[in-house]
Amino acid sequence: MHSGSATDTQEKLYKMLEKLQSLAREIPTKFQQRLPYDLLSSLAHILLDNTVFEIVRELVELQHMTEKGLHQQRMHMLHKHRVEKENLIKKQKEDLLAAERQGKTHVASRLPRLHKEQLTELETRHSQDVSSCHERIQQLLDQKVVEQQSTLQQVGVPGFHETDSPVEIKVQMYIMEFIVKLGGIKVPP
């Protein structure tokens, strides 16, 4: 009876390895070379236990929640910018009308240039806000990548270690994609 269990495990391992090799053949050649048989075999072994699938499912959910939160923060900032600009333009129109109504032509003639400067200042500040926001988002996402690399390394997923090498990160993304596909993990849009 015990040998039947070992045979079943061996069969599952073989099927998992076949699936991984098939997935690996679908990626660009330059990345296939970074996924040797030994790595795929080790990955197949670790995937026999559902633990890695559960961890990846949680990482995918955390990633989605993080990205959604960051997107909402960015949209809130852009909305605030739009309202500030609309309010400034409205106030400028009111100032110009008031100057014209009061017969202050010398003031009214200088307002368009002043208004243009105010608008340029506001747009410059908004542009700096957007740049700062994008930098902060990039830093947070980079930190998430490091956390994911560390988590997957700690549970023994081959190919995972902390790195900022774009090629190694791309290989890790392919490994993660394999795990997601084999585990039937739903990735939110």
Side-chain angles (χ1 to χ4, degrees), residues 42 52 69 86 131 136 152 156 171 173 175 182:
S42 296
V52 172
E86 288 169 359
S131 289
R136 192 175 55 72
L152 293 171
V171 170
M173 287 171 64
I175 294 170
L182 293 173

Side-chain angles (χ1 to χ4, degrees), residues 10 18 25 33 37 49 52 59 94 97 109 119 126 135 137 139 147 161 165 174 179:
Q10 200 60 35
E18 272 187 336
R25 282 191 292 272
Q33 297 165 352
Y37 177 85
D49 174 4
V52 172
L59 290 174
E94 290 169 358
L97 281 173
S109 67
L119 196 57
H126 286 175
E135 280 180 37
I137 287 171
Q139 289 170 348
E147 289 171 14
H161 56 278
S165 159
Y174 282 122
I179 295 169

